[in-house]
Amino acid sequence: MKKYENLTITEDGQLMLKKAERDQIETVWERYQKQLPQCGYCEMGLSCRICNMGPCRVDPFGEGPQQGVCGADADIIVARNIGRMIAVGAAAHSDHGRDLVEVLAAVGENKAPGYSIKEPEKMKALAAEYGVECRDKDILQIAAGLARAMQEDYGTRKKELTLTKRAPEKRQEIWRKLGVMPRGIDRETSEMMHRTHMGVDNGWQSLLLHGIRNALSDGWGGSLIATEVSDILFGIPKPSMTSVNTGVLREKEVNILVHGHNPVVSEMILLACQDPDMTALAKSKGAEGIHLSGLCCTGNELLMRHGVPMAGNHLMTELIIATGAADMILADYQCIMPSLGTVAACYHTKMISTSDKARFPGMEHREFHPENAADLAGELVKEAVENFSRRGKVYIPVEPVPALGGFSVEAIVAALGGTPAPLLEALKEGKIRGAAGVVGCNNPKITHDQGHVSLVKKLIANDILVVDTGCAAVATAKAGFKVTEALQYAGPGLKEICGALQIPPVLHMGSCVDNVRILMLACALADALDTDISDLPMAGAAPEWYSEKAVSIGAYFVASGVYTVLGPMPPITGSMNVVKLLTEGLEDVIGATFAVEPDPEKAADLICRHIEKKRKTLGLKHRKE
Ligand code: SF4
Ligand code: MSK
């Protein structure tokens, strides 16, 4: 197994890599090796293909050209490139949010059979925030009104997005003073694309400031709407036990997996899997039942709300197919490798794409809309059952690991007894030193899951409560950190507090859009202490990030006042001006910065140091260096 230890720390990953090699399946790690050495100009952000006078590149050693054909220098090119990464990430999250708002609108018009309002009280509270009149209106009318009001946040002439009012007053003032208060969700992304056209914004500082505004339109706009509307439609997550890793697949049952990010399709698939007629059909085909599990963030959405088991995170998706046990995988969008159809062709797995905006080679396209979702889900589950008899030999190499999921802010407050007071008390007493949000992806540049697991292990040992999302949350669940038994790894204070509350030291807060739940938790703490988010003993980390969405998340975390440590270096080292602004200069204007540290142990040290610094400023007991 030595051969695979550098690729992944997970046992199922290593065993499945061996199997994939036997089956002659090419994986993401092999394709990464074939790309090496990757382009140095691109790694530094110094190449530009924005217009057709290019492509251009700037020589980092000062010997070759220092400007593109248009005259753009290293600072401009790097700032434009990172600005466009933020725009893509913000667009992805916000468009996901838009899809949910459209379902909410369809529910309001009674045109979405199978969907309903699961949280009317939360919906009414949101309606009040949006100024939607609820008096004398029924639930469906309120849903339609709220959907319309949220759609306004996307594209109309507003001065400030509605939900930015949830931020501490001091934070809102910083955004206004700096001119980065987001005005419209689509507007900020559109403006970033405009600014980065050749011959528009050539101020690297103003480009980066707009990057902040664009990212805020994601964190306090599109992503926040996505999470809130998902809760309204599918329920506010509550803690429930689940299990994780390849071992969740069942040898004798029909295995259906959902992959991507949006819960709109997967919720309907879950309902169809629970239909007794489907179970009977599966039994008539020789299976013992139907088993649904998740991949990546669509999986996280179902795990959070229903305790649906999680088969794997980003880098595991090809290997899950290689078990030969996946009868059908339904993909919506984001983080779905285009290679999956090719891998599936070597097995019996039926691959289905479901979104009008995401097609993949080797997948059958069956488009979901609110009107047809319930019926189509039934049809597809039936087809998955039919596919069970086509299975060849199955290899499920490990036993699943138990995990507790479902920690929405509401659930955390409930676990604390209905008020954040006990957490604040523990923070003040120093039993819990602070909190860290560990988020983001896997990336073949980093040994799979090692960044997440090593970082989190050190943080909890230092009495730092960890909340996590996305593929990071799956990594730590697989490592066994999401059960109370993991308190053995926690420092004495964290162990005492979490032990009394009967919660693990690492709390699963959801999918990628659910990073906003971490922001909302930060707001609640800041409000309780009557301070700003940037004053809290709190930090963020993305130890294995790969996605443009992670760039937007990182930027809105920092812009919200959360010091954030990245693992892989973003493509900015071609401009020391940009590097300095993001890692130092932002402190003065926004009260937080980025740091980059690929070594997770050292990243943990940076976070501990930051938390102690903030404790000292707040006048709390702090540890010396
Ligand atoms: Fe080259 Fe300027 Fe065009 Fe970029 S925008 S490709 S630097 S000419
Ligand atoms: S799925 S964005 S690889 S966390 Fe959200 Fe995982 Fe990153 Fe995709």
Side-chain angles (χ1 to χ4, degrees), residues 259 321 329-332 336-342 344 349-354 358-366:
H259 180 13
I321 299 175
I329 298 182
L330 295 118
D332 51 87
I336 298 152
M337 288 192 255
S339 62
L340 293 189
T342 316
T349 308
K350 247 187 145 173
M351 300 294 299
I352 308 289
S353 55
T354 57
R359 312 275 174 131
F360 303 87
M363 289 197 199
E364 196 180 318
H365 189 66
R366 305 283 285 277

Side-chain angles (χ1 to χ4, degrees), residues 93 260-261 296-297 300 313-314 334-335 439-442 469-472 511-512 546-547 549-550:
H93 281 150
H261 281 78
C296 287
C297 283
N300 279 326
N313 47 7
H314 179 49
Q334 298 166 16
C335 305
V439 310
C441 326
N442 299 134
T469 62
C471 291
S511 64
C512 291
Y546 92 89
S547 153
K549 290 178 293 167

Side-chain angles (χ1 to χ4, degrees), residues 48-56 68-72 77 80 198:
C48 181
R49 50 178 178 73
I50 276 175
C51 89
N52 207 28
M53 291 192 284
C56 306
V69 176
C70 66
I77 291 177
R80 280 196 308 216
M198 201 300 274

Side-chain angles (χ1 to χ4, degrees), residues 63 164 264 300 380 526 588:
E63 287 161 13
T164 53
V264 163
N300 279 326
L380 286 165
D588 292 339

Side-chain angles (χ1 to χ4, degrees), residues 234 240-241 267 270 274 301-308:
F234 308 122
S240 65
M241 280 309 289
E267 286 278 344
L270 174 64
Q274 291 165 340
E301 296 274 353
L302 287 186
L303 180 155
M304 288 287 285
R305 295 194 178 87
H306 309 286
V308 167

Side-chain angles (χ1 to χ4, degrees), residues 540-563:
E544 301 180 33
W545 75 276
Y546 92 89
S547 153
E548 288 152 311
K549 290 178 293 167
V551 183
S552 179
I553 295 165
Y556 76 62
F557 261 51
V558 169
S560 302
V562 183
Y563 169 72

Side-chain angles (χ1 to χ4, degrees), residues 500-514:
L501 297 168
Q502 278 302 293
I503 55 171
V506 183
L507 305 180
H508 193 326
M509 289 197 82
S511 64
C512 291
V513 289
D514 291 339

Side-chain angles (χ1 to χ4, degrees), residues 250 252-254 256 269-292 377-378 381-386 388:
R250 305 243 172 106
K252 295 185 178 151
E253 294 186 38
V254 177
I256 300 176
I269 297 291
L270 174 64
L271 283 181
C273 288
Q274 291 165 340
D275 180 347
D277 289 347
M278 291 293 175
T279 312
L281 180 70
K283 288 190 172 160
S284 76
K285 303 284 174 189
E288 286 182 358
I290 302 173
H291 184 63
L292 183 67
V381 170
K382 209 165 152 197
E383 288 175 31
V385 171
E386 306 284 352
F388 178 74

